Amino acid sequence: MKFAAKLLTVLSILPIALTGPRAVAQGKQKQTSPDAAATVVVFNQSDPASVSLAASYAEKRGVPYDHLVGLSCPVDETINRATYNASIAEPLRKIFADRGWWQMEPHPARSGDLRVVESSIRYVAIMRGVPLKIAPEPQMIPGDHPEAVASPLNRNEASVDSELALLGQGNRQVSGPLENPYFRSLSRAQKSAFPPGLLLVCRLDAAAQRTVQRMIDDAVMAEKTGLWGFAYIDSRRIMTGGFAMGDEWLRSIVSATLRNGIPAVHEDTPELFPGGYPMRQAALYFGWYTENVAGPFRNPGFRFVPGAVAVHIHSFSASTLRDPLKNWCAPLLDLGAAATIGNVYEPYLHLTSHLDVFEDRLRNGFNFAEAAYASQPALSWMSTFLGDPLYRPFKVQRDGSFPKTGRVAEWAAYREGAQLWFSKKRAAGEAALQAKGNALKSGVIFEGLASLQISVRDSGAAVQSLLQARQLYSDDEDKARCALHAAGMLFNSGKKEQALALVREQLAAAPHGVAVPLLKMLVSRLSPPPPAAPGKPPTNAASR
């Protein structure tokens, strides 16, 4: 019998079975990794979907059965502070102490309080069905001192997950953010220097139960085969002022991904990637800024590659996870991403996740929880991290254990050539990429080479690589993407007629593709209608 069925049977007999230390589903379980042994899975026992997801996650990750904790809490996304304390925080605090996961001692600065001095738990995976956020409280909360926090940070609303991260510290101060002791950490959470009272809390949550199950499955599978694909980065060309910080993060990601063998497509205008843009084979996405999902994510049939990580900066990107078309987090997950980062209320930019740190840690072998918390300067605040906390998307790339066959072959070959570009200079990397691209007949390798050539401002070489990629690709959307980028560079270098001919050729070859409206718009810009003769009204529908 599967563990999921056993867990459901236990709960049907005894609804609070998993809140006691000896309530363990009996049976054979896969070997537990150190990360899984340091994980607790929290679910809402009032929600059958939450129970089922908890069981599935524990089985796939090898989390010990007695590390599943069922709470009796509301199924609503938003709760008040009193409900959070009574149905989530206090029960969890008691369970952690009763089961011996925490060793505690009197707090030296707060009489009557305890603090955690040793913990065997690092990660908490919260399942869909557990409330998402704590509403603003108009009344004074006992022990809180909002007057001690400068406006506009003296607010008491928060993400449930961000509050739970500091559960072991027993803070009475509610208003305002608190410093994250793991921010910018260069050590994995299993190291002895990890703060004992800190929990790395992530959430497996989305608009539908099936989406959450797919997130779990994709994360496990991507760890075996590797996460391969393009990085799409959408900055806004902001160089000064308070928002420049966000653009700096994104430009840094472009450079870092290129240096580490991930081909990057960078949209660096104030606009977003436009609707109709053929964003295919997307493994990573980082961008900002509009309230609701837009651009190529609304293209019919758009999907991320399995295991993809996608983050869009917006103040309310995770204000709800129940609507697959609202804000950004729920839609990105619904479109196939395995992990994302969001905010349930306004966090202010400097207190959101520093995405350059997040991408760096993730690529360097940290799991999702470690990378997310290393990127987050403040806790007891507004962030929520959506995905499997133990997911390491670049595990096989770091270990060198990926099979260099099938689809992976061309991505692995590109990675090797790109790293050679930076370690042995451009000529060696360029020659290796051209040789591999021709040998494998790979559009991916030539398009990736173009991204490197663009980074050194060699648009002439980049155009040639894009044209070669377009010839080798079999998918019309991939061909259209190469045509769009090549035409843009041709036009910018004064070769307007060549640009126009290329776009028209692509339209003729694929007159019904998703990029057709974008290509037609480009034709109209490259070849506008002639001006009307003097004194003669223009001929159009309105004049007729």
Side-chain angles (χ1 to χ4, degrees):
M1 184 188 296
K2 290 286 190 180
F3 172 54
K6 292 184 179 183
L7 178 57
L8 288 167
T9 301
V10 170
L11 287 173
S12 69
I13 298 170
L14 185 59
I16 58 170
L18 291 176
T19 61
R22 294 189 177 276
V24 182
Q26 300 299 315
K28 193 172 183 179
Q29 189 179 22
K30 67 173 63 175
Q31 185 176 359
T32 297
S33 69
D35 279 356
T39 300
V40 163
V41 181
V42 176
F43 62 94
N44 188 344
Q45 59 190 22
S46 303
D47 181 350
S50 190
V51 177
S52 177
L53 289 168
S56 175
Y57 179 71
E59 185 173 31
K60 286 184 177 291
R61 279 298 184 191
V63 176
Y65 297 156
D66 59 342
H67 283 210
L68 283 94
V69 175
L71 299 176
S72 293
C73 55
V75 295
D76 304 309
E77 281 194 294
T78 307
I79 55 176
N80 61 29
R81 179 68 59 169
T83 302
Y84 164 76
N85 286 331
S87 67
I88 299 177
E90 290 307 322
L92 284 178
R93 191 175 285 117
K94 184 175 187 305
I95 289 168
F96 270 65
D98 288 350
R99 297 195 187 182
W101 297 333
W102 278 348
Q103 302 301 316
M104 308 183 77
E105 66 177 22
H107 198 290
R110 297 198 300 265
S111 177
D113 286 351
L114 298 174
R115 68 172 182 177
V116 176
V117 293
E118 186 175 340
S119 175
S120 62
I121 300 300
R122 298 286 188 268
Y123 310 105
V124 176
I126 295 181
M127 295 296 121
R128 184 181 192 273
V130 175
L132 171 69
K133 56 186 182 177
I134 305 167
E137 179 61 61
Q139 305 298 322
M140 178 65 74
I141 299 171
D144 189 26
H145 295 281
E147 73 282 354
V149 183
S151 180
L153 301 182
N154 56 346
R155 295 151 49 202
N156 58 32
E157 63 263 47
S159 150
V160 166
D161 311 356
S162 192
E163 287 287 20
L164 286 178
L166 295 176
L167 183 71
Q169 295 190 6
N171 297 297
R172 297 183 181 182
Q173 177 67 25
V174 172
S175 295
L178 296 174
E179 182 180 356
N180 175 13
Y182 194 65
F183 179 49
R184 292 192 178 276
S185 176
L186 293 169
S187 298
R188 296 203 58 210
Q190 290 296 336
K191 300 297 184 181
S192 58
F194 187 78
L198 181 65
L199 296 171
L200 305 187
V201 183
C202 295
R203 175 176 291 266
L204 281 156
D205 202 342
Q209 178 183 353
R210 65 180 180 276
T211 301
V212 180
Q213 185 62 60
R214 194 263 311 150
M215 290 163 63
I216 296 169
D217 296 341
D218 283 357
V220 172
M221 182 55 66
E223 283 191 0
K224 297 176 181 177
T225 59
L227 177 60
W228 305 96
F230 287 100
Y232 290 92
I233 296 97
D234 197 342
S235 62
R236 298 167 63 194
R237 202 176 290 179
I238 301 174
M239 302 298 180
T240 59
F243 291 131
M245 175 189 297
D247 252 30
E248 289 172 7
W249 300 339
L250 297 172
R251 288 192 295 270
S252 176
I253 291 173
V254 175
S255 175
T257 51
L258 286 174
R259 292 190 69 87
N260 288 276
I262 303 171
V265 180
H266 184 198
E267 208 295 329
D268 64 343
T269 74
E271 308 301 324
L272 298 176
F273 278 106
Y277 178 79
M279 184 183 283
R280 292 191 72 250
Q281 305 184 82
L284 296 174
Y285 166 76
F286 298 98
W288 68 333
Y289 188 87
T290 187
E291 182 177 359
N292 292 308
V293 65
F297 305 107
R298 302 300 296 272
N299 292 347
F302 173 84
R303 295 294 292 179
F304 287 102
V305 301
V309 178
V311 183
H312 189 91
I313 302 172
H314 188 271
S315 298
F316 304 98
S317 54
S319 67
T320 179
L321 300 177
R322 294 293 167 264
D323 187 341
L325 297 177
K326 187 170 178 58
N327 305 129
W328 279 89
C329 287
L332 290 175
L333 296 172
D334 191 64
L335 291 167
T340 188
I341 293 173
N343 305 297
V344 300
Y345 298 110
E346 171 63 69
Y348 304 105
L349 183 60
H350 67 289
L351 295 179
T352 64
S353 292
H354 292 210
L355 295 186
D356 57 339
V357 177
F358 171 68
E359 185 276 335
D360 175 85
R361 302 303 188 272
L362 207 63
R363 181 173 32 77
N364 280 291
F366 282 37
N367 61 37
F368 176 62
E370 293 164 333
Y373 278 84
S375 76
Q376 177 57 47
L379 299 176
S380 184
W381 200 231
M382 312 304 178
S383 61
T384 182
F385 304 124
L386 298 159
D388 175 358
L390 307 187
Y391 177 35
R392 295 174 61 198
F394 297 106
K395 179 180 182 296
V396 298
Q397 284 94 328
R398 296 283 299 172
D399 298 345
S401 58
F402 52 89
K404 297 182 181 180
T405 58
R407 176 181 179 271
V408 172
E410 58 183 341
W411 294 100
Y414 171 77
R415 181 172 182 262
E416 291 174 1
Q419 291 175 331
L420 191 62
W421 172 295
F422 289 102
S423 64
K424 300 290 186 181
K425 304 301 182 184
R426 169 180 173 173
E430 196 165 54
L433 288 167
Q434 288 170 342
K436 277 292 187 180
N438 286 318
L440 296 174
K441 295 180 170 50
S442 171
V444 161
I445 292 177
F446 277 101
E447 188 176 2
L449 174 57
S451 71
L452 293 169
Q453 292 162 335
I454 290 168
S455 73
V456 295
R457 302 181 185 279
D458 190 345
S459 61
V463 167
Q464 293 306 309
S465 295
L466 286 167
L467 294 177
Q468 182 73 6
R470 181 171 172 266
Q471 292 299 317
L472 292 169
Y473 273 130
S474 59
D475 187 277
D476 286 336
E477 289 190 41
D478 290 326
K479 289 176 178 288
R481 184 177 60 255
C482 292
L484 285 165
H485 287 289
M489 283 185 283
L490 286 168
F491 176 77
N492 289 337
S493 61
K495 299 176 180 178
K496 175 181 172 181
E497 294 304 320
Q498 291 183 39
L500 186 58
L502 177 59
V503 175
R504 284 175 170 163
E505 180 185 315
Q506 180 61 38
L507 278 169
H512 304 295
V514 69
V516 165
L518 199 55
L519 290 162
K520 288 182 175 178
M521 185 185 303
L522 190 53
V523 168
S524 68
R525 291 180 181 177
L526 292 171
S527 182
K536 188 176 181 180
T539 302
N540 56 35
S543 65
R544 290 196 294 270

